Amino acid sequence: MKIVKLLYDEAEAMGWLYLPDSERTASYNRWADDPRVGGRMALFLKTTQQRRVWIKDGPMKEYARAIYGVGKYAPLIERPGAAVSTLVSKALGPEWEADLSTRQIKPLRVLAHAGEGRGTRFTWGPAKDLKHLVWAALRAQAGGDATPWTLCVVSSFVQPLPLEEKQEHLRIGERCGLQIVHVVGA
């Protein structure tokens, strides 16, 4: 767990959720070679490539979920992201509530309600994961789920989304019949 804590502390300092893939790749390589990370793992994973794959497909794949309090690594997050109830309220309004008993992962989602008969499947993540949010909604609808979906793209104060990107997201949502909202919250 010490290795994962170190990875998460450094990831937070880098703004991991909003890093481009090229910078993430460089970080995986650096960590695999770092004596504090890869060096400690060398007893179990002999090659740099094995260590890199473990970092990428293990703790760093769980990082976004851990930020939102989900998974075994969640306690290692120093400063968690906004709670889903906060995201729902920011995205949909104060009358909306998240039903935490309905939480699912891959992608993170819950049912949200605002009074009798008003409900939506609420899913959230950073802009780089929008394709996963859209795909989950489209698959559910194709499978017969008639519940509306709200896709919440979360950005940070430090790295706000450009207006052109937000507008593109809204066009995608309109094309697919999905509500896409943007929230600053992580």
Side-chain angles (χ1 to χ4, degrees):
M1 287 296 217
K2 288 181 182 180
I3 291 173
V4 177
K5 176 69 173 139
L6 175 68
L7 293 172
Y8 281 11
D9 288 347
E10 289 189 12
E12 181 181 339
M14 288 185 253
W16 187 263
L17 290 179
Y18 312 104
L19 284 182
D21 288 340
S22 60
E23 291 182 39
R24 288 180 177 212
T25 297
S27 296
Y28 297 139
N29 293 334
R30 183 177 47 78
W31 285 327
D33 289 331
D34 185 326
R36 300 170 304 148
V37 179
R40 294 177 74 185
M41 296 166 56
L43 293 172
F44 308 101
L45 300 169
K46 298 299 181 194
T47 69
T48 300
Q49 182 60 23
Q50 289 173 324
R51 293 187 289 273
R52 184 192 178 288
V53 168
W54 181 84
I55 293 165
K56 179 180 184 285
D57 291 343
M60 296 316 295
K61 187 173 252 181
E62 293 292 322
Y63 182 75
R65 287 186 277 277
I67 286 287
Y68 294 108
V70 177
K72 66 182 177 183
Y73 296 130
L76 301 177
I77 297 295
E78 191 72 28
R79 283 179 284 200
V84 66
S85 56
T86 301
L87 293 175
V88 166
S89 182
K90 282 183 173 184
L92 300 173
E95 70 277 11
W96 286 85
E97 293 184 16
D99 180 351
L100 300 180
S101 71
T102 64
R103 185 178 69 197
Q104 295 178 285
I105 60 172
K106 296 185 182 181
L108 289 168
R109 60 192 182 278
V110 296
L111 283 173
H113 301 280
E116 290 271 332
R118 290 180 59 205
T120 186
R121 292 202 191 285
F122 185 87
T123 185
W124 69 98
K128 71 181 286 319
D129 290 344
L130 179 61
K131 62 184 173 270
H132 302 299
L133 307 182
V134 169
W135 185 243
L138 293 177
R139 288 190 68 205
Q141 290 172 342
D145 182 356
T147 306
W149 280 66
T150 300
L151 286 56
C152 180
V153 178
V154 183
S155 62
S156 74
F157 293 109
V158 179
Q159 293 178 299
L161 285 178
L163 179 60
E164 306 79 41
E165 189 173 351
K166 287 181 179 181
Q167 290 171 336
E168 178 184 53
H169 294 170
L170 296 177
R171 289 191 304 272
I172 290 168
E174 187 175 320
R175 171 80 180 193
C176 297
L178 302 168
Q179 179 181 13
I180 297 181
V181 295
H182 295 90
V183 169
V184 175

